[in-house]
Amino acid sequence: MSVTYTVTVIHDRDPQPTPQTELREALGQIQPSATVSRPPESDPIYYLQVDPADADKIHSLADNFLAGSPACRAVVSSGLALPERSQDETSIIVQRKPGVTDPVSQSVLHAMGESGFDREQSQVRTGWRYRVAVDELSSENLVEVAGQLGNEIVDEWFTFGEGEPEMVPDPFRSFPSESTGRVEVSLLDANDEQLQSLSDTGGLSLDLVEMQTIQNHYRGLDRNPSEIELETIAQTWSEHCCHKTLTGRIRHGDHVYGNMLKETIFGVTRELDKPWCWSVFKDNAGVIGIDDEWGVSFKVETHNHPSALEPYGGAGTGIGGVIRDTLGTGLGARPILNTDVFCFAPLDTPNEDLPAGTLHPRRILRGVVSGVRDYGNRMGIPTANGAIHFHPDFVGNPLVFCGSVGLIRKEHVDKTVNPGDQIVAIGGRTGRDGIHGATFSSRELTEESEVVSSGAVQIGNPIEEKKVLDALMRIRDENLCRSVTDCGAGGFSSAVGEMGEETGADVYLEKAPLKYDGLGPTEVWISEAQERMVLAVDPVNMTRLREILLEEEVECAVLGEFRGDGMLRLHHHGELMGELDVKFLHDGRPDFERVSVIPMPKEELPIASADVDAEMILSTLLEDGNVASKEPVIRQYDHEVQGRMTFRPLAGADRDAPMDGCSLDPLRDGSHQVVVSCGLSIGIGSVDAYQMACHSVDEALRNCIASGGSLERAALLDNFAWGDVRNDEILGELVECSRGAADAALAYGTPFVSGKDSLHNTYRSGGVSRSIPSVLLVSAISITQGEPVAAGSDLKSSGSSLILIGPDGGIPGSLYQHRFGGSGGRPALFDAELGPRLLQSMSAWMRDRKFRAVHDLSEGGLAVAAAEMAFGGENTGVALQLPAATDPIHALFSEGPHRFLVEVSPEFEQAFLEEAQSAGIPAQVVGCSTDDHQMSVRVGEDLVLETSIGILKTHWKKTLEAAWPVE
Amino acid sequence: MASGVKNDAPRALVLRAAGTNCDEETVHALELAGAIVTNVHVNVLSENPELLDDVGLLAIPGGFTFGDDVASGAVLAHILEQRLHDSLHAFVERGGLVIGICNGFQVLVRLGLLPGGENRGALLWNQSARFEDRWVHIQAGAAESPWFEPGEKYFIPVAHAEGRFEWFPEDAGATLDSAQVAFHYTDVSGEKASYPDDPNGSHKAVAGLISPDGNVLGMMPHPERFVRPEHHPTWMRIRPDGAVPSEEELPVPLGLSIFRRAVETLRQRSDQLVEERGTS
């Protein structure tokens, strides 16, 4: 027997700001006419179920802990009853659905244990009550407002009109349970149509040839597969887990690739064969050496589909997942940096342009940023590099890339699994969250996705993962495990499957700790519940391992044992649920050939408007989300934690000017710097996929050099996010892009060390399927010795010379072209001969501190770069002077690779130009810095632009600020 | 033990719990300041409260202990109150130095170990209603303490969502004794700050509080994140040649100076003790 209490905390002296902002925004959106007579209130609710013997402790817990501050008070009621509210208030109650992870209730349970409650007999659920006194809000609109506060996938909510008493269903009610016995799937006699339908209805995302291969395999065994076997194969063969398109056969024009990725991107790494590449393309992240003892790992992942449906949870678990990749690299790397790159539809997209079932990009942006912020900040990892790109075709399918850099000793890079090792799961419990994430991510999003795939979204608990991190570092340092990997897509099925790839394993699924009763064995096996790692542990080390885990408050369970017979056997309460040959599982996937089309150049459609108003163009580009200040996002990320940062994403006199990358001191002794940057050239991709890849590699490396890095020890990561690759033209672009990435990397001598692809990024609405623009994100990481040498993009003084380094740019693919109605044409071309020479010289000049400021030219060209450099100065301005007869629009707004704008002292100008000339590097003086806080551009004698830096900076700042209004 | 630290160096304890995340760099800063430091989980300290007998300084670092669920620092404060109340108060009463940084400050306020605390103070949501990371100018108050020179100005990072200090005196007209203000936010010229120079809108622009005896310090800014000159966010603007400046060239002291002063105080105390013993 237990008794239930409801504790409601009333913050009458300390309004809770976040829920309030959400509520007001929702009201404003749904019923702009609504007048709110006083600020809305939001009350946290704690439902407590306790042993009757503990009832006398409730009031003390409520007053000293749940309220615990002079700013608020707790109201205790018995049963499910909330304190009365004013007669004129309507109310909304939002609480987690039964079965959804709720970290807050775990923390309250913890505190109850400390206060002497019987923990075994106690249960906690939480929720929020919103109270708002509003005139003439219809009950339909109230429900709609509630829908904006909660998320259908994880929350349930209830609304109550003025004077209506609040009644909620029992938050402790149990979740419907699944059958637990072995389920056979009739496959042996199925015809092709039935095979395809089995795949579709089961959410397996396997195509017919794959289903036929499975059928043949089981015909050979003369039995039907069990459900869990079929699920395991689907997980292992998913695009997400084995990258079958990129590593498959592709006939591309006259050329046939046996394994496209191996022959392009991996090929470069093999050819360059750098001794400091310690682990490439085999572990959860690539690892490069800092010195002989220490190295860094780097991995970037996407988490697109979950972020489209539930931006906060999707992005949070995206960053959580890639951090676990770091933890699962070698015997465990320590995460020291996060990166994030997002692609959304423009923030001013009108509501009527949103396809059914999609969230507004502004809501996605806010949710995604909050998700990355709360996960990264709470884990104590600085998020200090990234980018945000906006394009209308991301409206139904946004992209969320999350990266993680880790620190690891050389001796911890390799891992093995021996027969007889225990399979140990540590961390969070397994629940129904995140079922079918791996196969879901390999599918098209539709307007029904929100309903169909509700299980595919995970809810993260960063503190659980932080505990796992703390414990894992100790386990590694005491040499207690032989191998470790993370539970990502596919859950245990992928983690145990990968670790037991050579050995086989027996797994006893009933041993997995569950969040709640009622999970079937198949669900346990494929659940993608967060914050779980799997270890291979020699049985003799189990006692010490358990001691550490107990101290760090991390739960662990022995799921089974790795074997030596090559069979994966899945048991549940004594019943054999499935038995799979690991050889078939990992090597049995059918080869199939795809045909791709070499893309044709797109004819240039010139920009119609002949109105040459450089100032208007510049303001438009500065306001464009692709260029606009990202400060409102960056500030929400802790980029100082761990005390390693030596070059930050924002610097300059007011610390609000954009830098090109970041650097940190990995060993906290000043002996080395790790420089991290990225390159993204989606605009160029609209005209030429091959050049897009070259430009992205070039931009990543230019950003890296500008941030103090060097080509000597620089490595790259590739992340493809592509549309429907069953379309042979889109596949052709993918091949071209891979070729371009490989050619550019080879030219620079910078190997790719890790990568990931996310294909099938399409969105179906109203019967039409739309693919996203093709995206290659290139991330760069470079190790240098000694102090940081970044100069920053911020102008340091007036009277300096501004020198443009590099070749001419082009209009095709530029942001100017995109914004002003042009399209097509041939972009400025990557120069494999000039590029490396230029970057090596730049790096040497940086080391000799020849520059006062350095900025790469990217979207918006010379004009945007010059303005941004002025934004970082102290009342400095820029006066650009272009030769007579120059086309100012081309000179100011064209884009291309290999370009920098640098500030040098006037005394050094001449010597520098000579040095550049003798090195064969194009360099020209394009103006000077001034002390008048103005930007001016002259062509010969003609003034083509003159405006104040302050006005330009306001344009540049307002776009993203509007997404986070400060009241 | 870091090399160069003497065996008889002052000892410090850094306390961590689930969700603490600034413990490593706090250990590092204290070691740079010359202390011998142990990083201890609260579960270990609860089993071995005598660990506090061997140290002169206790640091509760930043982070999101227990996810800041219920309220920032609430669960860790509750655990310390339930398990270590007597040991902690004894440590403070015998003059042990305590520093709570960010989440540690929130814990100290909830524990009532700081003035304005005693269940009358609270660290609430920033006025901007969001987490913000930025460098700010702060100035030390007039109180004598082992931690800082009165009136010293610092440039230092803050990174928090709940750092707005408010107090709720029983007598609504009472004012917070300015001697209890360890640091307050200022603008660049040392004058009264408004947002964003004052990042959260605290009562009296409070950035940190200090106990009447001066031994307990709580602060929202992070001194442990500024222990090398190149941690300065715009170090490249300080020297004319753009190179990393020396410590002396910095316009403001390193955050490290706060730890150095504390460790020096402990060293002098133990020297004094040796002298007293020598003369008796």
Side-chain angles (χ1 to χ4, degrees):
Chain A
M1 263 317 284
S2 56
V3 286
T4 302
Y5 289 88
T6 305
V7 180
T8 311
V9 177
I10 311 285
H11 285 260
D12 36 16
R13 298 172 80 178
D14 163 37
Q16 296 291 286
T18 312
Q20 287 223 9
T21 316
E22 286 170 11
L23 181 58
R24 270 194 247 191
E25 277 202 3
L27 264 177
Q29 203 178 326
I30 288 154
Q31 191 170 323
S33 64
T35 48
V36 179
S37 48
R38 57 177 184 274
E41 307 271 356
S42 46
D43 316 319
I45 308 167
Y46 305 92
Y47 303 108
L48 312 175
Q49 217 171 52
V50 301
D51 188 292
D54 288 329
D56 59 332
K57 304 188 186 82
I58 293 277
H59 277 92
S60 158
L61 183 85
D63 293 338
N64 299 326
F65 174 66
L66 295 173
S69 144
C72 57
R73 63 191 163 87
V75 181
V76 181
S77 335
S78 62
L80 298 174
L82 296 170
E84 278 191 19
R85 61 182 201 275
S86 301
Q87 277 301 315
D88 63 344
E89 285 175 339
T90 53
S91 99
I92 298 168
I93 293 172
V94 179
Q95 56 197 35
R96 284 285 152 88
K97 285 180 174 173
V100 173
T101 315
D102 185 356
V104 180
S105 47
Q106 294 302 314
S107 289
V108 174
L109 266 178
H110 196 306
M112 288 168 73
E114 298 291 329
S115 296
F117 285 80
D118 180 344
R119 236 181 122 164
E120 294 304 310
Q121 297 300 313
S122 306
Q123 279 205 74
V124 180
R125 295 285 184 273
T126 63
W128 281 94
R129 176 174 75 171
Y130 301 83
R131 290 177 283 131
V132 55
V134 58
D135 290 335
E136 290 165 14
L137 182 65
S138 70
S139 57
E140 293 81 28
N141 280 353
L142 183 63
V143 171
E144 214 176 313
V145 169
Q148 297 271 311
L149 299 175
N151 190 303
E152 213 172 335
I153 294 166
V154 291
D155 298 322
E156 55 183 14
W157 55 84
F158 313 95
T159 58
F160 306 93
E162 285 170 27
E164 190 183 345
E166 289 151 336
M167 305 271 285
V168 292
D170 185 359
F172 297 102
R173 70 192 188 277
S174 62
F175 208 71
S177 58
E178 281 288 306
S179 71
T180 56
R182 179 180 167 117
V183 181
E184 296 252 312
V185 182
S186 304
L187 199 70
L188 294 187
D189 304 322
N191 63 27
D192 287 355
E193 200 178 316
Q194 287 164 329
L195 283 178
Q196 191 58 62
S197 141
L198 270 173
S199 171
D200 294 345
T201 54
L204 302 177
S205 298
L206 293 171
D207 70 13
L208 183 60
V209 183
E210 290 167 324
M211 289 301 288
Q212 286 166 338
T213 307
I214 297 168
Q215 188 180 41
N216 286 335
H217 176 74
Y218 279 93
R219 280 178 177 162
L221 297 175
D222 196 24
R223 68 172 175 93
N224 272 314
S226 67
E227 180 194 60
I228 204 166
E229 289 173 344
L230 203 51
E231 286 280 2
T232 307
I233 298 169
Q235 299 290 337
T236 313
W237 291 7
S238 69
E239 187 74 74
H240 190 95
C241 294
C242 70
H243 313 285
K244 50 197 175 193
T245 301
L246 266 80
T247 59
R249 271 171 77 82
I250 300 177
R251 182 177 295 279
H252 186 65
D254 297 337
H255 190 88
V256 180
Y257 291 94
N259 177 329
M260 204 264 291
L261 212 53
K262 235 182 199 157
E263 288 158 47
T264 54
I265 287 174
F266 297 0
V268 173
T269 306
R270 239 193 341 247
E271 188 170 340
L272 293 172
D273 194 24
K274 300 282 186 187
W276 43 264
C277 284
W278 289 354
S279 173
V280 292
F281 292 108
K282 59 176 187 194
D283 206 341
N284 287 312
V287 184
I288 64 172
I290 295 174
D291 55 16
D292 293 335
E293 186 185 357
W294 289 95
V296 279
S297 66
F298 195 10
K299 172 67 169 284
V300 177
E301 273 272 14
T302 51
H303 219 226
N304 305 331
H305 290 186
S307 304
L309 302 183
E310 212 288 278
Y312 180 81
T317 53
I319 195 77
V322 78
I323 292 168
R324 283 198 305 285
D325 277 326
T326 297
L327 298 180
T329 296
L331 295 176
R334 174 180 291 281
I336 57 171
L337 179 76
N338 292 338
T339 67
D340 64 278
V341 173
F342 311 137
C343 298
F344 303 122
L347 297 177
D348 55 2
T349 303
N351 279 326
E352 53 270 26
D353 290 358
L354 296 180
T358 49
L359 303 175
H360 192 273
R362 190 171 130 125
R363 193 168 167 207
I364 299 180
L365 168 75
R366 290 176 56 115
V368 163
V369 169
S370 303
V372 170
R373 174 196 67 203
D374 286 356
Y375 214 103
N377 291 357
R378 282 162 199 233
M379 286 283 296
I381 303 165
T383 301
N385 184 248
I388 309 180
H389 187 91
F390 296 93
H391 189 285
D393 288 343
F394 291 114
V395 68
N397 192 328
L399 300 180
V400 173
F401 298 90
C402 296
S404 171
V405 177
L407 187 63
I408 187 168
R409 280 179 194 274
K410 194 171 191 180
E411 68 201 67
H412 293 138
V413 170
D414 290 322
K415 52 186 167 194
T416 54
V417 170
N418 288 3
D421 284 351
Q422 305 290 290
I423 303 170
V424 182
I426 68 167
R429 291 187 161 206
T430 300
R432 197 165 274 122
D433 33 349
I435 299 230
H436 278 158
T439 50
F440 168 59
S441 72
S442 312
R443 255 192 294 176
E444 182 169 67
L445 280 172
T446 68
E447 45 206 85
E448 290 94 41
S449 290
E450 198 170 350
V451 187
V452 179
S453 310
S454 63
V457 175
Q458 309 95 340
I459 301 298
N461 180 359
I463 300 309
E464 185 65 50
E465 190 148 305
K466 179 63 166 64
K467 290 191 293 183
V468 170
L469 159 68
D470 292 344
L472 203 60
M473 296 296 107
R474 293 178 63 187
I475 291 168
R476 176 197 70 185
D477 291 343
E478 291 192 26
N479 217 2
L480 298 174
C481 76
R482 248 196 284 269
S483 181
V484 57
T485 199
D486 65 304
C487 283
F492 288 139
S493 76
S494 296
V496 177
E498 273 170 38
M499 288 172 87
E501 198 170 346
E502 312 283 328
T503 56
D506 275 284
V507 181
Y508 303 90
L509 292 163
E510 73 277 9
K511 306 270 192 197
L514 304 181
K515 286 178 181 168
Y516 33 83
D517 295 337
L519 250 73
T522 305
E523 289 181 306
V524 171
W525 183 233
I526 64 171
S527 159
E528 293 172 12
Q530 296 292 297
E531 290 96 24
R532 301 175 305 162
M533 303 289 294
V534 176
L535 281 57
V537 182
D538 186 327
V540 302
N541 290 326
M542 281 307 297
T543 309
R544 178 62 187 144
L545 187 92
R546 284 185 200 276
E547 273 173 21
I548 292 176
L549 292 169
L550 186 68
E551 210 170 279
E552 301 287 343
E553 298 168 27
V554 175
E555 199 167 13
C556 91
V558 176
L559 297 184
E561 201 172 301
F562 291 105
R563 299 289 188 208
D565 63 357
M567 296 302 283
L568 174 62
R569 277 176 297 267
L570 305 170
H571 311 262
H572 191 242
H573 290 300
E575 189 180 5
L576 183 65
M577 307 300 295
E579 186 173 30
L580 285 149
D581 181 344
V582 294
K583 203 161 164 39
F584 172 70
L585 190 59
H586 293 283
D587 303 325
R589 191 168 50 80
D591 263 345
F592 52 96
E593 183 176 296
R594 291 184 194 270
V595 177
S596 60
V597 169
I598 299 176
M600 295 290 287
K602 298 179 176 78
E603 198 185 329
E604 183 162 1
L605 180 73
I607 289 168
S609 162
D611 299 336
V612 180
D613 182 345
E615 187 183 328
M616 188 268 285
I617 298 171
L618 178 58
S619 309
T620 307
L621 298 185
L622 287 171
E623 260 178 48
D624 188 279
N626 292 313
V627 171
S629 169
K630 309 299 183 293
E631 184 178 2
V633 176
I634 295 168
R635 287 259 171 258
Q636 295 186 59
Y637 301 146
D638 194 337
H639 43 264
E640 303 284 345
V641 64
Q642 297 195 8
R644 288 189 168 95
M645 207 54 62
T646 53
F647 185 58
R648 293 163 179 74
L650 296 169
D654 296 322
R655 299 181 301 287
D656 60 356
M659 300 296 118
D660 295 323
C662 71
S663 76
L664 57 83
D665 172 2
L667 307 178
R668 294 204 182 97
D669 62 359
S671 63
H672 295 83
Q673 306 295 324
V674 173
V675 181
V676 175
S677 61
C678 64
L680 196 64
S681 310
I682 296 171
I684 302 298
S686 69
V687 291
D688 189 328
Y690 177 90
Q691 287 295 328
M692 168 174 82
C694 298
H695 285 228
S696 301
V697 168
D698 176 71
E699 192 194 0
L701 289 171
R702 273 188 294 145
N703 281 330
C704 176
I705 300 295
S707 306
S710 114
L711 288 184
E712 296 274 298
R713 199 173 278 218
L716 304 172
L717 268 59
D718 63 277
N719 282 83
F720 293 88
W722 231 254
D724 183 1
V725 289
R726 287 164 305 188
N727 174 317
D728 51 12
E729 286 178 20
I730 293 179
L731 183 63
E733 289 182 3
L734 182 64
V735 176
E736 286 300 308
C737 183
S738 307
R739 285 184 50 229
D743 289 352
L746 188 64
Y748 282 125
T750 48
F752 281 97
V753 294
S754 173
K756 192 89 190 177
D757 54 279
S758 161
L759 310 180
H760 308 292
N761 285 289
T762 54
Y763 188 81
R764 181 171 287 277
S765 174
V768 184
S769 177
R770 283 163 86 176
S771 281
I772 59 159
S774 304
V775 176
L776 172 67
L777 166 67
V778 176
S779 307
I781 184 163
S782 163
I783 311 295
T784 62
Q785 290 192 2
E787 293 182 336
V789 300
S793 72
D794 46 314
L795 291 178
K796 304 297 187 297
S797 56
S798 59
S800 309
S801 300
L802 297 177
I803 297 178
L804 176 63
I805 296 175
D808 195 13
I811 295 297
S814 66
L815 183 62
Y816 163 67
Q817 184 194 42
H818 172 70
R819 284 304 303 261
F820 288 86
S823 69
R826 195 147 193 243
L829 299 183
F830 176 76
D831 184 338
E833 193 276 316
L834 172 67
R837 193 151 39 84
L838 191 146
L839 286 194
Q840 262 144 12
S841 301
M842 280 299 294
S843 177
W845 286 322
M846 297 277 300
R847 223 138 257 287
D848 294 342
R849 302 193 189 274
K850 300 279 174 135
F851 305 133
R852 289 175 170 171
V854 180
H855 199 18
D856 83 311
L857 266 61
S858 61
E859 284 164 306
L862 173 63
V864 163
E868 286 182 341
M869 289 176 78
F871 295 161
E874 205 169 350
N875 291 318
T876 41
V878 285
L880 297 184
Q881 177 66 59
L882 306 171
T886 310
D887 170 5
I889 301 304
H890 183 91
L892 291 173
F893 304 111
S894 64
E895 296 175 19
H898 315 302
R899 308 171 87 206
F900 292 96
L901 185 59
V902 299
E903 177 194 10
V904 302
S905 74
E907 299 79 37
F908 178 57
E909 177 190 302
Q910 202 47 44
F912 175 76
L913 292 174
E914 283 162 19
E915 274 184 45
Q917 196 183 12
S918 66
I921 288 165
Q924 53 177 311
V925 178
V926 289
C928 60
S929 59
T930 62
D931 60 3
D932 60 1
H933 214 222
Q934 295 279 313
M935 177 158 177
S936 66
V937 180
R938 281 188 170 75
V939 174
E941 300 284 299
D942 298 339
L943 187 65
V944 296
L945 184 154
E946 186 173 37
T947 184
S948 104
I949 293 294
I951 290 173
L952 292 176
K953 199 168 179 178
T954 307
H955 282 291
W956 177 70
K957 282 201 161 193
K958 68 183 182 190
T959 308
L960 269 80
E961 271 176 0
W964 285 274
V966 175
E967 286 177 22
Chain B
M1 193 192 312
S3 57
V5 175
K6 291 200 202 87
N7 223 347
D8 57 353
R11 289 173 187 267
L13 195 149
V14 173
L15 179 68
R16 71 184 178 93
T20 299
N21 63 32
C22 302
D23 49 322
E24 264 206 354
E25 55 268 42
T26 305
V27 168
H28 179 65
L30 281 162
E31 284 180 348
L32 284 178
I36 297 172
V37 193
T38 331
N39 194 352
V40 175
H41 196 285
V42 67
N43 289 346
V44 175
L45 184 65
S46 334
E47 296 292 315
N48 310 278
E50 70 282 359
L51 287 174
L52 278 174
D53 300 343
D54 300 332
V55 301
L57 190 153
L58 169 70
I60 308 179
F64 290 83
T65 45
F66 298 90
D68 278 355
D69 295 336
V70 175
S72 51
V75 179
L76 180 57
H78 188 74
I79 292 172
L80 292 175
E81 190 69 36
Q82 299 291 324
R83 299 190 197 165
L84 287 159
H85 177 274
D86 294 351
S87 314
L88 272 181
H89 282 266
F91 182 76
V92 170
E93 269 152 37
R94 68 161 193 273
L97 303 189
V98 180
I99 182 169
I101 302 165
C102 200
N103 197 243
F105 182 25
Q106 291 159 341
V107 169
L108 291 180
V109 167
R110 272 189 87 98
L111 281 174
L113 275 175
L114 281 168
E118 296 119 19
N119 296 330
R120 308 259 43 106
L123 286 159
L124 306 176
W125 271 87
N126 295 348
Q127 252 165 17
S128 66
R130 61 186 187 226
F131 184 99
E132 286 194 2
D133 171 325
R134 58 172 78 248
W135 283 67
V136 295
H137 301 274
I138 58 172
Q139 185 172 13
E144 289 293 337
S145 88
W147 298 97
F148 49 78
E149 296 274 359
E152 180 90 271
K153 291 175 179 172
Y154 299 86
F155 184 48
I156 198 165
V158 289
H160 59 251
E162 296 176 59
R164 175 169 56 92
F165 178 77
E166 285 294 343
W167 86 307
F168 303 88
E170 261 166 295
D171 166 12
T175 54
L176 181 68
D177 182 357
S178 61
Q180 300 174 341
V181 176
F183 305 104
H184 65 278
Y185 302 107
T186 72
D187 68 8
V188 62
S189 48
E191 302 298 312
K192 187 174 159 30
S194 54
Y195 179 83
D197 291 326
D198 174 347
N200 51 39
S202 282
H203 177 67
K204 288 194 163 182
V206 164
L209 294 172
I210 191 141
S211 65
D213 294 339
N215 57 331
V216 183
L217 172 67
M219 60 193 297
M220 288 314 295
H222 286 275
E224 80 285 6
R225 296 183 181 187
F226 187 19
V227 301
R228 301 178 63 86
E230 64 265 39
H231 290 160
H232 188 290
T234 55
W235 55 261
M236 59 292 279
R237 296 185 71 85
I238 294 171
R239 280 171 58 114
D241 66 356
V244 176
S246 67
E247 196 179 326
E248 292 68 37
E249 287 169 317
L250 288 172
V252 289
L254 292 175
L256 186 57
S257 64
I258 288 172
F259 299 104
R260 280 187 184 143
R261 236 179 106 91
V263 171
E264 188 48 38
T265 304
L266 294 179
R267 191 174 284 129
Q268 282 169 9
R269 278 188 196 172
S270 80
D271 287 351
Q272 227 166 13
L273 212 62
V274 171
E275 268 169 42
E276 278 167 22
R277 278 188 190 150
T279 52
S280 67

